[in-house]
Amino acid sequence: MQFVQSPPLAIALTAQEMDTLRLLNVCSKYYPARTLISRQGEIESRIFVIQSGWASVHRDLASGDRQIIDTPLIGDIIGVRASEGPNNNSLSSISAVSLFEIPRQLLGRTLFTQGRPASLFARVVARQHSILIEHLTNAGRRNALVRTAHYLLELRERLAVFGMVEDNGFNCPLTQQELADVLGLTTIHVNRTLRELRERELLSFRRGFVEFIDRQSLVKLCCFDADYLDL
Amino acid sequence: MQFVQSPPLAIALTAQEMDTLRLLNVCSKYYPARTLISRQGEIESRIFVIQSGWASVHRDLASGDRQIIDTPLIGDIIGVRASEGPNNNSLSSISAVSLFEIPRQLLGRTLFTQGRPASLFARVVARQHSILIEHLTNAGRRNALVRTAHYLLELRERLAVFGMVEDNGFNCPLTQQELADVLGLTTIHVNRTLRELRERELLSFRRGFVEFIDRQSLVKLCCFDADYLDL
DNA sequence: CGCAGACTTGAAGATTATCAACCACCGTGG
DNA sequence: CCACGGTGGTTGATAATCTTCAAGTCTGCG
């Protein structure tokens, strides 16, 4: 990985911009897999940037159900909200995760007022907005098969930017339960859906590896257009 | 309406801040009901602020389906995205709408670098993010009845800020088709769901008016918590 | 080896969609 | 003034999708 000194933002920073970021008192932290990092309903004064690993931003409902809003990956920024009130969603690690924790106040003061880093953050946030829109479209208007395919293709694109896609697939630590919570389905139905994708020889997801068997057909199946992921 | 000179942002601006906004070359425009204002896939250099009326931000799919991402109302800001590429969703009017159109570039240059108006915009954007998260949670993890109730309660809160809620309800120009596209349901199922809400004596939505019959029970039914709408 | 968590399968049931009518309201034009 | 057409709303019957419940099986790991 070529990003060690500064938060990985999928865009190279100039030396001066990195200085700006260093001013932010950025500290790096490590969390083991399946750990709650920030709890819904509590005041959260940090902003996070994923350095490595898979995380999950989710909402837990009184019913016991859970909706995963997004699975932020390397370079993604979490928690850029302006209001001071309690956070309305939780952040957990899925795999082991290391991330930068930036005091929110510092971000507001220095980062958003200094040219390119500011617009860079704005871009990443805008992309997350696009991702969120796509997830809503998934949940609202696509069936289980298409929805699953779409999300896994999205992950591929997001990981590819960081060279984390091998020849025909990528490592994916999500359980079927987590995938279900992303897609708004039950675990069991995700299982059947993955089986159908396998039987149709489109993709296989086994033992933590998503393998694209016929990616072209898959893209066609769900009308996947990666434009929304562009920074 | 007390907001005529400056974009209505649900927060009062100081005179100086209004000057900043006036610098932005803000022009006000009117669109009749059911008009396409900005088309998905095209480059959009404007940012919109709703002055009055109901609009709809939506994604149109190749299948012919449509997902309404949000129905922005008075004071809402639309199109704050940093990337220069084509927009990935459309903006249409639902009722007749008048809105401010702000050149994107001006916004980036002056607004985001000037103290409170900047953080004010950031807040509104953060709130829209919260709303989007709630809509995703709706589509992913709540059934038709709860989902519908939740959305209509959300609209009530959003309109109440601007004094647009009468005693026990509010005017709502949404058709059942549009409501279906917000909620990720079919028109027919929305119709049945509204009937059930009526039969259970929770709320009635007829002739463009949403009337809350038993709002307390409704809030309880869908565990509605308006915190996410706070600015 | 044995345990726990994750995955898999079947059967049955609930929810939501699809198809096909029909109704009601409203503005228009004869 | 009333027939007409169009849009939006309503209803029933049927089908697809997805969930629930219940019972395994597999797999990695101590």
Side-chain angles (χ1 to χ4, degrees):
Chain A
M1 269 333 330
Q2 65 267 48
F3 304 93
V4 262
Q5 298 285 4
S6 73
L9 291 171
I11 291 178
L13 298 178
T14 66
Q16 198 196 334
E17 284 162 355
M18 299 228 300
D19 285 344
T20 306
L21 285 171
R22 285 202 198 87
L23 273 178
L24 291 175
N25 193 25
V26 167
C27 83
S28 179
K29 273 215 182 179
Y30 172 87
Y31 293 89
R34 327 284 157 178
T35 313
L36 186 60
I37 299 170
S38 176
R39 176 181 273 111
Q40 159 181 335
E42 294 183 355
I43 305 277
E44 179 54 77
S45 60
R46 297 165 292 177
I47 285 167
F48 305 92
V49 180
I50 306 270
Q51 192 180 3
S52 71
W54 291 54
S56 141
V57 173
H58 52 97
R59 252 176 82 52
D60 294 309
L61 304 185
S63 60
D65 286 333
R66 179 173 75 153
Q67 176 68 45
I68 294 182
I69 307 305
D70 188 28
T71 49
L73 305 173
I74 177 170
D76 285 327
I77 304 174
I78 301 142
V80 178
R81 312 181 318 123
S83 77
E84 299 297 322
N87 205 349
N88 68 1
N89 36 240
S90 300
L91 173 63
S92 300
S93 63
I94 286 177
S95 67
V97 155
S98 62
L99 37 72
F100 296 100
E101 301 190 1
I102 306 172
R104 184 184 302 265
Q105 295 190 323
L106 280 180
L107 186 82
R109 270 188 221 144
T110 60
L111 203 73
F112 263 127
T113 58
Q114 302 211 7
R116 208 163 92 84
S119 86
L120 194 152
F121 259 71
R123 278 189 185 194
V124 174
V125 169
R127 189 180 82 139
Q128 288 178 2
H129 199 257
S130 296
I131 289 172
L132 192 40
I133 285 175
E134 208 60 36
H135 289 186
L136 174 56
T137 308
N138 261 350
R141 285 287 179 242
R142 296 200 254 251
N143 66 23
L145 196 76
V146 171
R147 206 186 296 188
T148 307
H150 197 282
Y151 175 64
L152 293 176
L153 283 168
E154 174 189 304
L155 286 181
R156 202 198 97 98
E157 294 301 313
R158 291 169 67 178
L159 289 167
V161 174
F162 290 91
M164 295 173 76
V165 174
E166 296 160 31
D167 31 299
N168 58 350
F170 59 88
N171 287 306
C172 176
L174 292 173
T175 64
Q176 292 185 357
Q177 175 66 65
E178 285 158 343
L179 197 46
D181 286 340
V182 170
L183 300 172
L185 298 167
T186 55
T187 311
I188 293 168
H189 202 63
V190 164
N191 183 287
R192 294 193 218 282
T193 304
L194 289 175
R195 178 171 56 175
E196 186 174 348
L197 286 167
R198 213 181 311 127
E199 283 170 359
R200 288 211 203 173
E201 302 192 327
L202 293 167
L203 76 78
S204 110
F205 180 8
R206 315 201 91 160
R207 265 164 255 159
F209 191 82
V210 174
E211 182 192 356
F212 295 99
I213 299 166
D214 182 352
R215 188 152 63 88
Q216 273 207 316
S217 301
L218 211 59
V219 166
K220 216 156 100 188
L221 172 72
C222 59
C223 299
F224 182 77
D225 177 353
D227 278 357
Y228 73 98
L229 293 169
D230 287 347
L231 271 161
Chain B
M1 262 342 324
Q2 65 266 49
F3 304 93
V4 263
Q5 297 286 4
S6 73
L9 291 171
I11 291 179
L13 298 178
T14 66
Q16 199 197 333
E17 285 161 355
M18 298 227 302
D19 285 344
T20 306
L21 285 170
R22 285 204 196 87
L23 273 177
L24 291 174
N25 193 26
V26 167
C27 82
S28 180
K29 273 213 178 180
Y30 171 88
Y31 293 89
R34 327 284 157 178
T35 313
L36 185 61
I37 299 170
S38 176
R39 177 181 270 110
Q40 157 181 337
E42 295 183 354
I43 305 276
E44 177 55 76
S45 59
R46 296 165 292 176
I47 285 168
F48 306 92
V49 179
I50 306 271
Q51 194 180 1
S52 71
W54 291 54
S56 139
V57 172
H58 51 96
R59 254 176 80 51
D60 293 310
L61 305 185
S63 60
D65 285 332
R66 179 173 76 151
Q67 177 68 45
I68 294 182
I69 307 306
D70 188 28
T71 48
L73 305 173
I74 177 172
D76 285 327
I77 303 173
I78 301 144
V80 178
R81 311 180 319 122
S83 78
E84 300 296 323
N87 205 348
N88 68 0
N89 36 240
S90 300
L91 173 64
S92 301
S93 65
I94 285 177
S95 67
V97 155
S98 63
L99 38 71
F100 295 100
E101 301 190 0
I102 306 172
R104 184 184 302 268
Q105 295 190 321
L106 280 181
L107 186 82
R109 269 188 222 144
T110 61
L111 204 72
F112 262 128
T113 59
Q114 302 210 7
R116 206 163 93 84
S119 86
L120 194 150
F121 259 71
R123 278 186 184 196
V124 175
V125 169
R127 189 180 82 138
Q128 287 178 2
H129 199 257
S130 296
I131 289 173
L132 192 39
I133 284 175
E134 209 59 37
H135 288 186
L136 174 56
T137 307
N138 261 349
R141 285 287 180 241
R142 295 201 255 251
N143 66 24
L145 195 77
V146 171
R147 206 187 296 190
T148 307
H150 198 282
Y151 176 64
L152 292 176
L153 283 169
E154 175 188 305
L155 286 181
R156 202 199 96 98
E157 293 303 313
R158 291 169 67 178
L159 289 167
V161 174
F162 290 91
M164 296 172 75
V165 174
E166 297 160 28
D167 31 299
N168 57 349
F170 59 89
N171 288 306
C172 176
L174 292 172
T175 63
Q176 292 186 355
Q177 174 66 66
E178 285 157 344
L179 197 47
D181 285 340
V182 170
L183 300 172
L185 298 167
T186 55
T187 311
I188 294 167
H189 201 63
V190 164
N191 184 288
R192 294 193 216 284
T193 303
L194 289 175
R195 178 173 54 174
E196 187 175 347
L197 286 167
R198 213 182 310 126
E199 283 170 359
R200 288 210 202 174
E201 303 193 325
L202 293 167
L203 75 78
S204 110
F205 180 8
R206 315 201 92 158
R207 267 166 253 154
F209 190 82
V210 175
E211 181 192 357
F212 295 99
I213 300 167
D214 183 351
R215 188 153 64 88
Q216 274 207 315
S217 300
L218 211 58
V219 165
K220 216 157 98 188
L221 172 71
C222 58
C223 297
F224 182 77
D225 176 354
D227 278 356
Y228 73 99
L229 293 170
D230 286 348
L231 272 161

